[in-house]
Structure formats: C-alpha cells, structure tokens
C-alpha cells in the first residue's frame, strides 16, 4: 500500500473510531468537545418569574403551567397541541452563529410520538433540531427546510415517560455536537444554516414539559 493510500486509510479509521465513541456516549472524547468563549453572556429561562412574553410561537399550544417536581421552582413550559406535524416556539434572544444550548424536558404522553427537542439557527422557518423520543431508542439531529431531513442518529436507551431528561447541543461553525442526559452521542458537520434563534420542539401528539432552557452564544447573522 503506498503512502497516500495508507494516509487515507488511517484517516478513515480515525473518523470511524471518533464516531463510534460519540455514539456510545463513552465520554472518552472530552478533549474534543466543542467550546465557546468563556466570557459570553448567558440567557436562562426557568419560567418562574416571567412567562413567554416576547417568544414567537411557530406552531403548537404553548403555556406556562405549575408542575410538581419541576427542576427549577414550580413552573414549566408545556406544549399540548396534538394534531400538528411539528410544534415550535422560539425564544427572544439572538440571532446566534455559534451556540451552546441545554434544556430539560419531560415527555408526558403521546401514542404516535413523545418527544422534546432543541431548535437552533432558526431563521425564516428553517432550522436544525436535535431531539429525543420516549417511544424510540434513538437520538437524532435533523434540519428543517419545507420538510424535515435526518442528518445524524445514535442508538440510545429511550428516555422514560414522566421523567425529566437533559438535552444539550453545541454548534460551532459547521460542526454540531449533542448530548442526552450528559452523555455525548452526536458529532456531525453541516453548513447549510449559519445563524438564527433558539427554540423548543415537539412532534405530532407529544405532550411535553420543558424547563431550564439555557443559551450561551455568539450573536450575529440574521
């Protein structure tokens, strides 16, 4: 095997090992985790003192409700529409280019779907979304542009109904990484959307609660 072929082979193997480690959630790639500058401002939404004034409802029935066992205080944001294809609400801050977002979600019910997700780089109805589903053993990244298209998927233990779970996504340039309940699963590159706002997402008949949305990002774009 000549030098060029050996180099290509080693690069391919290295990429496969990195991908497998992330999909297994081994935590072995801590040094490879995407980082944003430490001095960026942070926006946190726990829905205790302020509701969703200033938010943009794209679709769905979103309202702040009291909920026992909420991660922060007593109030959470709940999506209760059950007949839309997708339900999206977008937070006021931004737009952002690079961003680090986390949120807690509790899938309450759903027979077709029981999901919760983070929307990012939302602009003119186009966006990325990373989501988990209590009815499926996968954790996925999609983009939406007049239709949803899958970009990356990892096999996971389905997040339990009626329990709180954490999703985090970091996007720097064209690279996107995502975690479920603290474990890294997705590491993907896609360059179609450059900047936009951050939001929350459910699908179909999912009734889902959300809390502790935290956004740290580099503002810019449109």
């Amino acid at each position: 095997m000549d030098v060029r072929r050996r180099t290509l082979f080693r690069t391919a193997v290295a990429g496969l090992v990195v991908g497998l480690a992330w999909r297994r959630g081994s935590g072995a790639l801590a040094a490879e985790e995407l980082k944003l500058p430490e001095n960026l401002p942070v926006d946190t939404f726990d829905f205790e003192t302020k509701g969703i004034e200033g938010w943009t409802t794209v679709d769905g029935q979103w309202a702040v409700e009291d909920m026992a066992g909420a991660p922060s205080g007593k109030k959470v944001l709940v999506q209760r529409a059950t007949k839309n294809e997708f339900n999206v609400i977008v937070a006021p801050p931004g737009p952002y280019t690079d961003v680090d977002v986390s949120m807690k979600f509790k899938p309450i019910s759903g027979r077709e779907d029981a999901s919760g997700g983070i929307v990012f780089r939302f602009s003119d109805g186009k966006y990325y979304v990373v989501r988990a589903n209590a009815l499926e053993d996968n954790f996925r990244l999609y983009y939406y542009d007049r239709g949803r298209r899958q970009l990356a998927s990892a096999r996971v233990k389905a997040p339990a109904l009626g329990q709180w779970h954490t999703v985090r996504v970091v996007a720097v340039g064209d690279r996107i990484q995502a975690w479920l309940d603290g474990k890294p699963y997705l590491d993907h590159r896609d360059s179609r959307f450059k900047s936009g706002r951050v939001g929350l997402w459910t699908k179909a008949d999912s009734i889902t609660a959300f809390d502790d949305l935290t956004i740290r990002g580099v503002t810019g774009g449109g």
Side-chain angles (χ1 to χ4, degrees):
M1 186 182 294
D2 61 29
V3 173
R4 182 174 179 275
R5 288 182 178 178
R6 283 200 300 270
T7 301
L8 289 173
F9 177 76
R10 289 170 182 167
T11 301
V13 170
L16 178 61
V17 170
V18 168
L20 287 173
W22 270 85
R23 284 194 290 273
R24 290 170 181 163
S26 65
L29 298 181
E32 297 290 331
E33 180 180 325
L34 293 175
K35 298 289 187 181
L36 272 67
E38 294 294 334
N39 61 348
L40 293 174
V42 178
D43 287 293
T44 301
F45 301 89
D46 62 10
F47 309 107
E48 288 302 305
T49 59
K50 188 177 181 181
I52 51 175
E53 298 84 1
W55 289 58
T56 302
T57 299
V58 180
D59 221 337
Q61 182 183 330
W62 301 84
V64 175
E65 302 180 9
D66 290 334
M67 182 169 289
S72 296
K74 299 179 180 179
K75 296 183 182 296
V76 299
L77 178 60
V78 182
Q79 196 301 117
R80 292 191 175 275
T82 59
K83 296 183 179 180
N84 300 316
E85 184 178 16
F86 305 114
N87 300 290
V88 176
I89 191 168
V90 181
Y96 302 100
T97 52
D98 300 340
V99 71
D100 185 335
V101 186
S102 65
M103 62 80 173
K104 295 182 176 69
F105 80 103
K106 180 168 78 170
I108 297 171
S109 65
R111 299 185 65 178
E112 179 183 345
D113 205 89
S115 58
I118 296 172
V119 165
F120 58 104
R121 293 183 177 169
F122 179 98
S123 181
D124 296 326
K126 304 173 185 178
Y127 57 86
Y128 294 109
V129 58
V130 60
R131 71 96 178 105
N133 186 349
L135 305 184
E136 299 178 6
D137 57 358
N138 55 61
F139 183 51
R140 288 178 173 170
L141 169 69
Y142 297 89
Y143 76 89
Y144 183 89
D145 182 359
R146 293 167 294 181
R148 191 182 64 161
R149 302 290 184 273
Q150 182 178 310
L151 290 171
S153 181
R155 187 176 179 85
V156 300
K157 180 181 179 182
L161 277 169
Q163 296 183 19
W164 287 98
H165 305 275
T166 302
V167 173
R168 178 186 173 214
V169 63
V170 179
V172 177
D174 69 348
R175 192 170 175 190
I176 300 165
Q177 295 178 346
W179 293 253
L180 175 61
D181 289 333
K183 295 182 179 180
Y185 286 106
L186 301 176
D187 188 357
H188 187 77
R189 289 187 182 273
D190 191 88
S191 61
R192 75 194 67 229
F193 304 143
K194 308 297 185 184
S195 70
R197 291 161 63 193
V198 168
L200 301 170
W201 180 99
T202 73
K203 180 186 174 187
D205 64 343
S206 303
I207 296 178
T208 305
F210 297 88
D211 203 1
D212 293 347
L213 173 66
T214 301
I215 308 168
R216 190 165 66 91
V218 178
T219 56

